[in-house]
Each structure stands twice: as C-alpha cells, then as structure tokens.
Amino acid sequence: MSASVFAMVAPLSAQHSFANPIEQTKGAFQDKFRQLEGEEWPTPTDYRNASGAPGYRYWQQKVDYDVKARLDEPKRAVSGTQTVKYKNNSPDSLPYLWLLLDQNDYKHDSIAEMTNIVSGDKISLDEVRRAKRMQEWEGGFTISAVRDAAGKQLKFTVVDSLLRIDLADAVAGNGGETAFSIDWSFPMVENKVVGGRSGYECFTQPGDDGNCIFEGAQWFPRLAVYSDYEGWHNKAFIGSGEFTLEFGDYKVALTVPSDHVVAATGVLQNPDAALSAAQRQRLEQAKSATAPVYVVTPEEAVTAERGKAAGEKTWVFAASNVRDFGWASSRKFAWDAMGVKQDYADQPLVMAMSFFSKEARPLWDAYSTKSIAHTIDVYGRFAFPYPYPVAQSVNGPVGGMEYPMISFNGPRPVKDKKTGNLTYTERAKYGLIGVVIHEVGHNWFPMIVNSDERQWTWMDEGLNTFLQFQAERLWDKDFPARRGEPKDIAEYMLSQNQMPLMTQSDSVLQFGANGYGKPATALTILRETVLGRELFDRAFREYAVRWRFKHPTPYDFFRTIEESSGVDLDWFWRGWFYSTDHVDIALDKVVKATLEPADAEAAAAARKKQRDGEPKSLTASRNTEKTVVERDPSTLDFYDKIDPLDATAADKRKAADALKDLTAEEKAARLVTDNFYRFSFSNKGGLVMPVILKMDFSDGSSETARIPAEVWRYNPRKITWQKVTGKTLVRAEIDPMWETADADRSNNVYAGRIEPVTLGIDKGDDTKNRMKDSDKKVLPGSLQAYDAPATK
C-alpha cells in the first residue's frame, strides 16, 4: 500500500472518502478545538473500539521460526535455513504471504541505494569510502529455495526489499495454518564504512588484535504484518522507517567459530556445550548479585583474541512471544551480568547483561549493565514490568539499535595520546547511559507495544525518547538530556523545513528532531503542564497495558489517553501532531482597572487623579506669551470657574439612587475596591496552549495562574484574561518555568507601565449639561457663581 504524506490510514472495513466536512466559509475564525473524531480519525470497528482499546473481535497473526544459521568469519557472510509456521487469525483467506528482506537495501539497484541524493560542492572522506565500497561490494539476500511443508518448491517473487511467496493453497482465515521453509544467504556489511543497523567491525589498525565483532540484525527473511487497518504492511524498507513484525516463538541455532561468545535474543538452551563450567557457575552467581559479575572475564577475552581456535560451536537460543531476533558474536567479548528483581509473578527475575571488548573498558563495565537495570525499573513503573528473562547491551559498530532482549550500542572510551591508557569523557559517559536506556527501552516501544515505525516514527522513537528522558532525570537530576526539555525544541519548532509528526517515516525532514525530540517534548508537556502527572501516568500506563503484544495505531493512542484521563485533547493532538505550528504566546498589554467609586465625589477624585497623572501639553508648556484668557478676564465664564470632572448634584443624586436600588449582594459587588487586572495575550505561533502566567505583587508575593488552553476557543489569535485582586501588580511573565516550548521569550515578560483605567458601571446615556447639574448656582445676568446647598 502506498503511504500518503500524512499516513492517516483508516481500517479496511471503515475507510472514509470525505475530508474536512465542516468548513469555515465566512470570516477568519479558526476552530483549533474542532474534534478529530469522524474527520481525521478512522471510524471505530469491532477490531478497534472508540475508547482506544482492542475491540472484542481484535485479531493478529502468529508466526513461529526455527532457524539454523552459520557465520562464515573469513568470508564475513551468513547462511541459513528456516522453517516458518504461519497461523492466520484474520477473517481473510490469504493466497500469498509477504516477507521482509531488509538486507536488500544494500543491492546496487535497490530503491534505498538508487535514491541516495547528495548536496553541496564538498564531500567527506567517509562519503568517499562508502561510495568506493558500494562500487566494489554488493549486499542483499540470495534466496536459493522456498519449499512447502512437503518439500515441494513454491513460487516466489522478490520486489526490492520484499519477498512474496505464492502458496499452493490459500491459508484459510480464522485460525488456518501453513508451513514453509527458506534457504538463504547474504554477505555482512562492514558497518563503519557502509552504515546500517547491523554488520561487522574489525580491529586492524596498528597495535590492534585483528579480530572482529559481528552483529546480526534484520538478518533473515521475516513475515510482514497483515493487519485489520492496513492489510499487508508491504512498504519497502528504504532506510528510515524500520519495521513492524508478527509475534511468535523462536528457536535459533547459531554456528560460529568455537572461541566466539554469542549474545542473542532469548535464553541459551545449551549452556553445557557453549560455556565452561566456571562460566556457568558465574552466570548462576550473577542471578543473586547486587553488582555486575563477569561470566566471561576480560582476561578470558584477551586470551581468546591472541589466537583463533579451530573448529566451530553451535549456540542454541529459544524465545517466546517475540517479534524479531538479533544476535552478536565475537571472540573479543567479555560478558558481565546481574539479576534484576521485579515485583511481577510472571517474570520475577531479569538477567541484565552486557557484552563488550577491551576497547570498551573501563566505561562499559562501569555503566552498561547498571543502566539496563535502571531502565527495567523506570519503564516498568511507567508502562508494565519487563516480561522477558534477559535484557542485553552489546558494544560494537552499530551506534544504537534495538531488538527483543538485545540492543547494540556504540559509545567507547578514547585512548589518551600521552599515556596510551583508555579514558572517557563526561560526554561519553552520559552518551552510553543514555543510549543504553534508549535502546533497552525499545523493548517496551515497539518490541512489545508493537507500533509500525515504517508509517509513524513518533510512536516508536517519540514515546521511547519520552521515557528515556524520565529515566535520565531519575538517574541524575542534572543529567544532560538531549531531548525532552521543552526549551530545547523551540529552535526546531521555528524552522521551515519540518513536517507534522503524522508524516510517513521515509518522508520526514529533520528526522531526529521530528521523530524523537518533538514527540518526547509534547508528551513531557502533556504530563507536566496539560494533564498533570496523576492523570497522564494512569492514561499512559493504560495505553501500554492495553496494547502490549498487539499492533496499535496513533488513533488507539490518542483515544486511550483521552478516554483514561477524561480530558478532551483534540486541540493538543491537532497542534502537536498534525501541524507545524509553534508555541509563541505574547503578553501584549496589562491594564489595571478599578470600579468607578459608588460615591460621586470619590469617583470625581479618582477621575482627577488619573487626569493629573497624565503629562501636560508639550506645546502649551513651551508657549511663553500670555493666553487670551490670561490677558482678558472677561472671556472667563462658568466653565472656567469649575473643574469639569467635579461631581454635580445630579451625579450625587444618581449615585445615591443607584445604591438605594441595589440588593445586598449587588451593593456588595458595587462597593468592591479590588484591582481588575486585564492581561492581553496574542498567539503568534499558531499552536494553542495553556497560558502559564506568573504575577509578582508589590508586597513581595507571587501567584501563578495556570489558564487552560480552552481560553483560546473563541479566538485562537488574541484574548484578554482578567485577574481580580486587592494586591498591586508590579510584574507579569508567561511560562516562567519554560515548560511550554515557547519559541520567543522576548515577548513573555511585562514589567513596564501598567495602565490604570476605571471601569464605569453601565448607566446608559452619559451626556451631561454640567451648568444645569452643577452644585454652583449662576447669578442672574452674571457669569459669577456661588456654592448652593445640595438638594435632596
């Protein structure tokens, strides 16, 4: 299925052909709070219900693998045969099956290789090395045979990085099964030269030992997903979008040189054949240890490095209910392990284990396995306990990549040029801790909560980066986290070449910021600012538990968070996930308003005070000659003898009558003397958000108002909000804790003159004849006036 730019795919049984049926046709109003349900979101079905949970008819396929593979170290190649059992739980009959051949990315004519583009008028030496290697070397699978359960050849077709197998008989729906086998081989890629998610690295520089580390990933033909909302997930792998796969049980036998140590998905089934008695004893000891214990010591690894042993050894692993399988093999590996206890009956003990060469010490033995243990603890609290028996981190050529129960991580120490000793920088330390947390964390998202990154990068990388950020801050309050803090995404949010988070993975620009940073920040803001921790944490856990070992979509996530938290968040999803708007809320103006005093004379005094506080005419003050009224007193009349702002007799009568006619409650309101501060905000970035307003008062106190995003519902561009207080405001600031990713902080603070105004009580026509209403009486035939007693 071809992916649209926004990758909004409805269930097959409920696709809709309309778009935006509600259209604003008059005026410039934009409804930032319009519901996504029924427009952008697919219609709920029996498979995925409106609450975001799996429906009562939810189904998914099951695929079991029995793989026998061999690593040819001299040729840097892997060959194997596999038997696959496919159970079709869908209601559909399937005449053919699609499999993923991700190694085909390295074929010269692949979509991935043929669509590589360049820019600029310079080239790096790494780019030159890769270009020359791809000129002389070609990767990709060789499929030598595909047979049915009876051994009969099946027709198959390779389509770029995909393999279609045409079955002799369609596999029936609602529980039908089929089985087949495939023979295959491929050359491993030299990762440090060509790149990718797997491959080998050899230590051949002067002074090195000449040995290699091999990391096997996306290394065998794997069944593509067939789902209720997409059908076959048979979009080619072209580099960025990773993969979604079906869950099943694995048995994998890996034949490697006899002096290699192997790490792999699952539990080692033949430790007596693979490990020495001492190593088996250390592994058992590690289960109850409170600090990492060496299973294969650094000294044993160095001894193995000094001479390649003859012969081969087979390591057998088994894994249940996993969606993929990865492995690593080298004679260079030291191996440490530590048991991590969980309050979880199904998996009370997890073995955290790390595999690394001498080049990775002393950094890896200090932090890798402890970082795994920390990840199991934190992610277990945010989502669900770790369900597998092992969690592993392997050092090698791949900088960071994840598979069930195993991850590949790259940071290493550096050699001091003066002493020759290995040492590490602070950046390398935190880089290792961070990448181990991230890659081990991927066991939850997407290895268990099995979203499709080939369509929606943020569901995999974004959710995991959000939890990585939580784990980093729980490792050290001052951990130099790369992503997650709202202030750190502001620059990206202002950039031009960006796309909405709902963009299909291979079309994403600025992949790291879009796929990792922005969604992680959005969830941080949702947790800390919009929902609060209690509501968010419950809803997030609800999503994780609902969809573990299943295939969720973004709509399942959105609906679950709203359903569980009880908060309508369509405005949030629209702004953060469907648009490229940014946050920039400006505090444009602050007005200090007070009610016009109920007493007429007090009201007049207030008016005079406000007037007298205004600057006088610059022109008048600079005029030096006498004015007409100064030269000719006969020009003076009644209006020159009074202050136009004086209270008249009529003013006093009206004020008295107005109070007399009020109820007790209305009179109390009329006599309020508090300040009515009116804050004018403008939304310059387009993304509606809560307004966090900190107010500082003259008595030294402060108050922060957390105004919900719905304040923008009638006007998403400009609003005025009011605060009533007896205190005197001296300063106001938006987003004082930098929690909303506001991209321009220069317009967030208001510390200038706070304009005073008086709020008049609406009394109808305010036109006055001040001579008629004055307390001063004019003498007949004269412009002189005298004070008269006020009339009742």
Side-chain angles (χ1 to χ4, degrees):
M1 178 177 181
S2 62
S4 68
V5 171
F6 288 90
M8 299 171 191
V9 183
L12 292 180
S13 59
Q15 287 188 14
H16 48 262
S17 59
F18 57 85
N20 297 331
I22 301 174
E23 185 178 1
Q24 182 74 21
T25 57
K26 286 185 172 62
F29 175 73
Q30 290 182 322
D31 185 1
K32 299 283 189 176
F33 294 85
R34 193 173 79 200
Q35 296 296 284
L36 290 162
E37 193 75 62
E39 292 191 20
E40 304 293 356
W41 292 357
T43 305
T45 68
D46 293 344
Y47 309 130
R48 297 165 191 274
N49 67 36
S51 73
Y56 75 97
R57 295 178 62 203
Y58 176 84
W59 55 265
Q60 65 187 42
Q61 316 293 55
K62 186 175 188 294
V63 188
D64 299 331
Y65 297 84
D66 188 337
V67 185
K68 297 178 176 61
R70 177 177 178 271
L71 169 64
D72 187 328
E73 185 175 30
K75 292 183 179 180
R76 315 283 194 255
V78 179
S79 58
T81 184
Q82 66 191 55
T83 300
V84 181
K85 294 181 179 179
Y86 188 90
K87 185 174 183 180
N88 179 16
N89 292 316
S90 82
D92 309 319
S93 176
L94 301 178
Y96 52 81
L97 306 175
W98 282 102
L99 289 82
L100 308 184
L101 302 178
D102 291 351
Q103 291 292 326
N104 281 10
D105 260 21
Y106 298 117
K107 287 186 175 294
H108 290 164
D109 61 352
S110 70
I111 295 175
E113 198 60 32
M114 290 297 293
T115 58
N116 273 335
I117 58 176
V118 296
S119 62
D121 56 1
K122 292 184 178 181
I123 188 171
S124 70
L125 293 179
D126 286 342
E127 290 173 313
V128 173
R129 291 178 66 209
R130 187 187 191 282
K132 290 301 294 180
R133 178 61 57 86
M134 291 304 296
Q135 198 177 28
E136 62 196 33
W137 174 88
E138 184 175 31
F141 281 106
T142 297
I143 306 296
S144 52
V146 179
R147 305 180 184 86
D148 64 15
K152 184 179 178 181
Q153 294 281 347
L154 290 173
K155 180 183 177 182
F156 65 91
T157 303
V158 175
V159 182
D160 196 67
S161 61
L162 297 161
L163 171 70
R164 189 187 71 242
I165 299 176
D166 296 314
L167 302 173
D169 298 300
V171 56
N174 299 312
E177 296 184 2
T178 190
F180 59 93
S181 63
I182 307 177
D183 298 338
W184 49 265
S185 62
F186 70 93
M188 296 194 82
V189 62
E190 186 174 5
N191 183 277
K192 294 288 189 181
V193 177
V194 177
R197 291 165 169 78
S198 62
Y200 68 89
E201 174 189 18
C202 296
F203 294 78
T204 56
Q205 295 299 313
D208 287 348
D209 54 68
N211 291 293
C212 305
I213 295 173
F214 298 89
E215 293 180 330
Q218 293 151 254
W219 59 282
F220 63 100
R222 304 164 298 162
L223 262 297
V225 166
Y226 185 80
S227 73
D228 62 282
Y229 65 91
E230 172 93 356
W232 282 110
H233 291 228
N234 56 356
K235 186 184 187 306
F237 176 54
I238 58 177
S240 295
E242 288 175 358
F243 47 86
T244 184
L245 299 163
E246 303 286 12
F247 289 100
D249 300 332
Y250 284 71
K251 181 181 178 182
V252 178
L254 296 167
T255 299
V256 299
S258 61
D259 52 358
H260 274 215
V261 171
V262 178
T265 297
V267 175
L268 181 63
Q269 300 297 292
N270 61 338
D272 290 349
L275 304 177
S276 69
Q279 290 165 348
R280 295 196 299 272
Q281 182 180 6
R282 295 176 203 144
L283 183 59
E284 188 64 30
Q285 176 190 350
K287 293 179 180 179
S288 57
T290 57
V293 171
Y294 277 112
V295 177
V296 174
T297 67
E299 292 75 21
E300 288 171 331
V302 169
T303 298
E305 286 177 335
R306 289 175 180 153
K308 298 179 181 179
E312 296 180 324
K313 184 187 294 185
T314 299
W315 297 59
V316 181
F317 295 88
S320 298
N321 204 20
V322 295
R323 53 164 257 181
D324 201 359
F325 192 100
W327 57 268
S329 181
S330 179
R331 65 178 53 84
K332 293 176 66 63
F333 283 151
W335 168 10
D336 72 15
M338 177 177 71
V340 179
K341 295 179 180 178
Q342 296 191 118
D343 184 15
Y344 181 50
D346 290 349
Q347 193 61 61
L349 183 70
V350 179
M351 292 304 294
M353 305 191 295
S354 296
F355 297 76
F356 48 90
S357 67
K358 64 179 183 297
E359 289 81 6
R361 302 180 65 221
L363 180 60
W364 272 65
D365 42 6
Y367 293 110
S368 178
T369 298
K370 290 181 179 179
S371 299
I372 297 172
H374 178 62
T375 307
I376 291 170
D377 172 48
V378 174
Y379 279 62
R381 284 186 274 148
F382 271 87
F384 46 78
Y386 188 75
Y388 295 134
V390 298
Q392 300 164 96
S393 170
V394 180
N395 180 245
V398 179
M401 192 59 203
E402 76 283 352
Y403 300 92
M405 303 188 225
I406 189 170
S407 62
F408 304 150
N409 303 302
R412 288 182 185 141
V414 294
K415 185 176 290 187
D416 187 285
K417 293 181 179 179
K418 293 182 179 179
T419 66
N421 297 327
L422 287 175
T423 183
Y424 56 84
T425 63
E426 183 180 37
R427 180 178 180 180
K429 168 189 171 180
Y430 288 115
L432 174 62
I433 296 168
V435 74
V436 171
I437 291 172
H438 184 89
E439 304 306 343
V440 172
H442 270 308
N443 277 281
W444 282 264
F445 305 95
M447 295 300 151
I448 298 171
V449 182
N450 191 11
S451 57
D452 183 3
E453 189 183 356
R454 200 154 293 179
Q455 293 196 65
W456 305 293
T457 302
W458 68 266
M459 291 195 75
D460 171 346
E461 300 296 356
L463 268 62
N464 185 44
T465 301
F466 163 72
L467 289 183
Q468 175 191 349
F469 175 61
Q470 305 305 319
E472 287 172 344
R473 286 290 188 249
L474 289 169
W475 178 283
D476 183 340
K477 290 182 185 295
D478 297 321
F479 195 104
R482 293 177 58 208
R483 299 178 173 118
E485 285 290 358
K487 64 182 176 63
D488 294 334
I489 201 66
E491 182 178 357
Y492 167 73
M493 298 282 278
L494 285 171
S495 64
Q496 294 300 308
N497 59 333
Q498 56 172 302
M499 292 176 140
L501 295 186
M502 292 295 285
T503 303
Q504 190 274 326
S505 183
D506 287 301
S507 298
V508 169
L509 301 173
Q510 301 191 78
F511 196 85
N514 181 287
Y516 297 68
K518 183 177 177 180
T521 303
L523 293 178
T524 298
I525 292 172
L526 192 61
R527 182 182 191 234
E528 303 289 4
T529 301
V530 178
L531 293 179
R533 290 191 170 193
E534 182 178 357
L535 290 181
F536 177 90
D537 289 354
R538 185 196 185 283
F540 189 86
R541 192 176 300 110
E542 180 98 20
Y543 166 74
V545 171
R546 278 180 174 182
W547 290 98
R548 58 183 170 183
F549 300 109
K550 295 182 176 69
H551 300 295
T553 69
Y555 323 108
D556 301 315
F557 176 78
F558 297 149
R559 284 167 165 154
T560 296
I561 298 298
E562 291 194 9
E563 167 83 7
S564 182
S565 69
V567 179
D568 179 9
L569 294 167
D570 287 38
W571 61 270
F572 187 85
W573 311 132
R574 176 177 281 107
W576 280 92
F577 290 79
Y578 286 86
S579 85
T580 55
D581 288 347
H582 64 276
V583 182
D584 181 9
I585 299 173
L587 178 51
D588 298 322
K589 185 179 181 181
V590 180
V591 170
K592 175 186 176 181
T594 52
L595 296 185
E596 182 181 49
D599 178 77
E601 290 187 347
R607 292 194 295 269
K608 293 177 185 180
K609 182 178 179 181
Q610 181 174 338
R611 178 198 60 193
D612 295 344
E614 298 173 354
K616 305 304 179 185
S617 166
L618 181 61
T619 299
S621 66
R622 288 179 174 175
N623 289 342
T624 57
E625 68 273 19
K626 288 186 176 182
T627 63
V628 171
V629 297
E630 289 173 327
R631 295 196 307 267
D632 184 3
S634 67
T635 59
L636 297 172
D637 69 357
F638 165 81
Y639 293 105
D640 295 297
K641 301 297 184 180
I642 67 167
D643 189 323
L645 298 184
D646 281 342
T648 66
D651 291 336
K652 295 173 185 178
R653 286 195 304 271
K654 288 179 182 179
D657 290 344
L659 279 177
K660 181 177 62 177
D661 293 339
L662 298 180
T663 66
E665 291 82 1
E666 290 172 333
K667 187 173 183 179
R670 183 65 185 86
L671 297 176
V672 165
T673 59
D674 284 357
N675 298 314
F676 288 71
Y677 286 103
R678 294 186 168 185
F679 301 86
S680 295
F681 304 108
S682 60
N683 181 358
K684 297 181 178 299
L687 206 163
V688 294
M689 285 290 287
V691 181
I692 317 301
L693 179 65
K694 181 174 181 285
M695 295 165 283
D696 299 331
F697 300 101
S698 60
D699 63 359
S701 65
S702 294
E703 180 180 344
T704 298
R706 307 186 74 84
I707 308 167
E710 283 79 2
V711 74
W712 300 99
R713 67 191 182 277
Y714 298 127
N715 188 335
R717 294 181 177 87
K718 287 183 177 293
I719 55 172
T720 299
W721 181 82
Q722 180 172 276
K723 170 70 176 177
V724 182
T725 178
K727 298 180 180 181
T728 299
L729 183 74
V730 295
R731 184 180 185 275
E733 180 179 2
I734 297 174
D735 193 20
M737 296 297 292
W738 298 15
E739 59 185 281
T740 66
D742 196 301
D744 182 3
R745 297 201 56 80
S746 68
N747 55 29
N748 284 25
V749 177
Y750 197 92
R753 173 178 165 80
I754 298 176
E755 193 72 22
V757 299
T758 299
L759 298 177
I761 303 300
D762 189 2
K763 295 178 288 188
D765 186 8
D766 197 36
T767 301
K768 298 177 180 180
N769 184 330
R770 300 200 64 84
M771 185 179 293
K772 181 174 75 73
D773 295 336
S774 176
D775 283 345
K776 296 181 183 292
K777 295 302 181 181
V778 180
L779 295 173
S782 172
L783 296 178
Q784 302 302 311
Y786 68 94
D787 291 328
T791 57
K792 293 185 179 179

